[in-house]
Amino acid sequence: SAVISQKPSRDICQRGTSLTIQCQVDSQVTMMFWYRQQPGQSLTLIATANQGSEATYESGFVIDKFPISRPNLTFSTLTVSNMSPEDSSIYLCSVRDPRGSNYGYTFGSGTRLTVV
Amino acid sequence: TQLLEQSPQFLSIQEGENLTVYCNSSSVFSSLQWYRQEPGEGPVLLVTVVTGGEVKKLKRLTFQFGDARKDSSLHITAAQTGDTGLYLCAGNDYKLSFGAGTTVTVRA
């Protein structure tokens, strides 16, 4: 399965600022997924990032707040813009096993964001 | 709207005891997956179930998929402290939809 390097692993940010999270995959993948996970809770999909096209956002998430870049088949970034304390959460990127979705998804270790 | 409901939300047991976690879906997905997540890490796939009535075993873990492909269960026999974690079921189509998760704590 793919190996994902996600950074930063954690950060404490001032409200009103922005943070960019990076995900690097050790193989080429068509789709990358970005999730938000509040402490002790489940994962909520923010958006799906395809190389060469705009990301597809889930209900409740907008591009102005969570802009995504996907410059090539191994890298993506998620920016959390104009942060407020409500954005404090864990953010994770994920890719699907190239053999097919039934073989599962691999996740990065997550970025723990605290907004003060 | 949460498509997948998991129960219980929290489970604390003594080492050596058995436990069962349930996942019920309001819709049918192509397949259903179970993941375990430990603190500071991303979820890790345990199993994928596809066929109604399917039973899969992974050492002390037994996964069942209901005949209607809407409900599933995870049973752990003789739990160990290393089984502690957040257990997540996820419906799988072209993307994953996660249940709320079950936090399992196995006490020594």
Side-chain angles (χ1 to χ4, degrees):
Chain A
S1 59
V3 176
I4 298 176
S5 173
Q6 184 175 342
K7 58 182 180 182
S9 59
R10 60 178 61 232
D11 207 342
I12 301 174
C13 300
Q14 296 291 322
R15 68 176 66 201
T17 63
S18 298
L19 175 71
T20 296
I21 302 167
Q22 300 179 2
C23 264
Q24 179 76 50
V25 189
D26 69 345
S27 57
Q28 294 185 338
V29 293
T30 305
M31 299 165 73
M32 293 182 72
F33 304 86
W34 287 97
Y35 290 86
R36 182 172 70 185
Q37 182 179 29
Q38 294 179 315
Q41 297 190 25
S42 188
L43 285 76
T44 301
L45 182 64
I46 297 171
T48 302
N50 293 312
Q51 195 268 335
S53 63
E54 282 199 6
T56 302
Y57 289 83
E58 298 298 306
S59 176
F61 298 96
V62 295
I63 188 171
D64 290 345
K65 177 67 175 177
F66 297 101
I68 288 172
S69 78
R70 186 80 205 274
N72 57 53
L73 290 173
T74 63
F75 187 78
S76 180
T77 68
L78 170 77
T79 299
V80 186
S81 302
N82 188 26
M83 289 184 285
S84 66
E86 291 70 37
D87 294 319
S88 296
S89 196
I90 300 169
Y91 294 85
L92 301 107
C93 61
S94 174
V95 300
R96 185 159 48 204
D97 190 295
R99 295 171 293 177
S101 61
N102 282 353
Y103 290 90
Y105 293 70
T106 300
F107 290 81
S109 297
T111 297
R112 182 179 293 271
L113 170 63
T114 302
V115 184
V116 298
Chain B
T1 304
Q2 187 70 266
L3 294 177
L4 292 119
E5 293 187 356
Q6 278 186 245
S7 62
Q9 185 178 358
F10 298 97
L11 197 53
S12 179
I13 60 169
Q14 202 72 31
E15 196 169 29
E17 295 180 338
N18 302 331
L19 69 94
T20 302
V21 178
Y22 299 93
C23 177
N24 293 291
S25 174
S26 59
S27 58
V28 177
F29 293 92
S30 300
S31 63
L32 192 140
Q33 298 182 333
W34 286 91
Y35 289 80
R36 182 172 72 204
Q37 183 180 23
E38 299 184 25
E41 299 294 330
V44 175
L45 178 71
L46 295 174
V47 77
T48 299
V49 286
V50 179
T51 306
E54 188 173 5
V55 177
K56 283 192 173 180
K57 292 191 174 183
L58 185 66
K59 297 183 180 178
R60 295 176 293 100
L61 279 61
T62 301
F63 302 85
Q64 291 188 308
F65 202 19
D67 291 340
R69 299 178 65 237
K70 284 189 172 185
D71 56 285
S72 182
S73 64
L74 157 61
H75 182 80
I76 301 179
T77 304
Q80 301 175 355
T81 56
D83 295 324
T84 292
L86 177 65
Y87 288 81
L88 298 154
C89 67
N92 182 24
D93 282 324
Y94 62 94
K95 59 183 179 181
L96 288 180
S97 299
F98 282 92
T102 297
T103 299
V104 171
T105 303
V106 182
R107 306 184 305 274

